[in-house]
Amino acid sequence: EPEVTQTPSHQVTQMGQEVILRCVPISNHLYFYWYRQILGQKVEFLVSFYNNEISEKSEIFDDQFSVERPDGSNFTLKIRSTKLEDSAMYFCASSGTSGTQETQYFGPGTRLLVL
Amino acid sequence: DQQVKQNSPSLSVQEGRISILNCDYTNSMFDYFLWYKKYPAEGPTFLISISSIKDKNEDGRFTVFLNKSAKHLSLHIVPSQPGDSAVYFCAANLQGAQKLVFGQGTRLTINP
C-alpha cells in the first residue's frame, strides 16, 4: 500500500540553525501538507501546497518557514532560523486530486528538538 | 482555537465491547469529517470519514455517526480489540478549504 515517508525521523539542532525536513508524498497525489504537534497539544495545520505553490497557510507559517518541491518526488519544509518553540513533531501529508472533502494521508513524522 | 473538541481525554473499554468516541464542533461550515488513529511515535493513520451530506458511514468494525443539528460526531468500534488501543483524533475540513482542524485526541485503552 502506498505511504508517505519522512526523513529524518529525529533531528536535534541548535537555536538559530536552519533545518530541512523531507517528505516523499504518495506518488499520484497532487496536494501536499505540513502539520505539527507540539508535545501535549493538538495537531496544527501549517501549510498546503498544490501545483508548485502554497495554496493555504496558517498564522504559524511565517517568514521563517518555506516549502518546496525540488523534484518530482520530494516535498520539503525549511525552517530558516529555528527557535526553541519550534520543537515539535512535524507531519507531512498528501491527498489526491481535489484538496477538499478528501482524505489526507500522513507520514510517520519528524521529531525536531531545538536546543 | 476550540472549533473541534474531544472532551474525553481517555476511555477504557473491555475487549469485545463497544467503544464510543465523541467529538463536537462549533463551525457549521465544516463539511467533511475524519477519524484518525495514532500510536506513539507514528503519524496519524486514517480510519474512516464522513461527508456532511450523510449521517452514517460504516467500514467493518468502525462506524461514524454525524448529527449536524447537534454539531456532534461519534466513532463506534465494535467489537473492540486490544490492537485498537491508541489515541483517536477527529478532524474536520472547512468547506472549500484544505486544512484539517483537529481535536485534542482521546486515548482509548482496550482491556483484555
Side-chain angles (χ1 to χ4, degrees), chain B residues 15-41:
Chain B
E15 182 180 358
R17 308 293 284 265
I18 184 170
S19 296
I20 300 176
L21 297 115
N22 294 301
C23 181
D24 296 296
Y25 61 96
T26 54
N27 194 332
S28 57
M29 297 302 289
F30 287 135
D31 66 354
Y32 191 66
F33 303 89
L34 308 94
W35 283 96
Y36 288 88
K37 169 177 163 180
K38 188 179 179 306
Y39 294 118

Side-chain angles (χ1 to χ4, degrees), chain A residues 35 56 99-102 104, chain B residues 4 29-34 91-101:
Chain A
Y35 290 80
E56 205 171 317
T100 60
Q101 289 226 347
E102 194 169 47
Q104 295 179 21
Chain B
V4 178
M29 297 302 289
F30 287 135
D31 66 354
Y32 191 66
F33 303 89
L34 308 94
N93 186 205
L94 265 173
Q95 188 177 33
Q98 287 143 31
K99 77 174 192 180
L100 293 180
V101 179

Side-chain angles (χ1 to χ4, degrees), chain A residues 31 33 35 37 41-45 48-50 55-56 58-59 89 91 98-109 111, chain B residues 1-5 31-32 34 36 38 41-44 46 49 51-52 89 93-104:
Chain A
Y31 286 83
Y33 313 85
Y35 290 80
Q37 185 180 28
Q41 297 187 23
K42 291 185 178 188
V43 176
E44 303 174 285
F45 170 80
S48 61
F49 191 84
Y50 170 73
S55 47
E56 205 171 317
S58 72
E59 318 75 52
M89 278 291 283
F91 296 108
S98 70
T100 60
Q101 289 226 347
E102 194 169 47
T103 299
Q104 295 179 21
Y105 294 92
F106 284 75
R111 183 173 296 283
Chain B
D1 179 0
Q2 293 288 307
Q3 294 191 79
V4 178
K5 278 201 276 193
D31 66 354
Y32 191 66
L34 308 94
Y36 288 88
K38 188 179 179 306
E42 292 185 16
F46 170 71
S49 61
S51 164
S52 60
F89 292 95
N93 186 205
L94 265 173
Q95 188 177 33
Q98 287 143 31
K99 77 174 192 180
L100 293 180
V101 179
F102 281 81
Q104 306 95 311

Side-chain angles (χ1 to χ4, degrees), chain B residues 10 12 16 20 41 43 55-56 58 61 68 72-73 78 80 84 86 96 99 108:
Chain B
S10 63
S12 191
I20 300 176
D55 53 22
K56 178 182 171 181
E58 202 170 339
R61 295 187 299 116
K68 285 188 291 294
H72 177 84
L73 66 155
V78 56
S80 300
D84 295 331
K99 77 174 192 180
L108 175 66

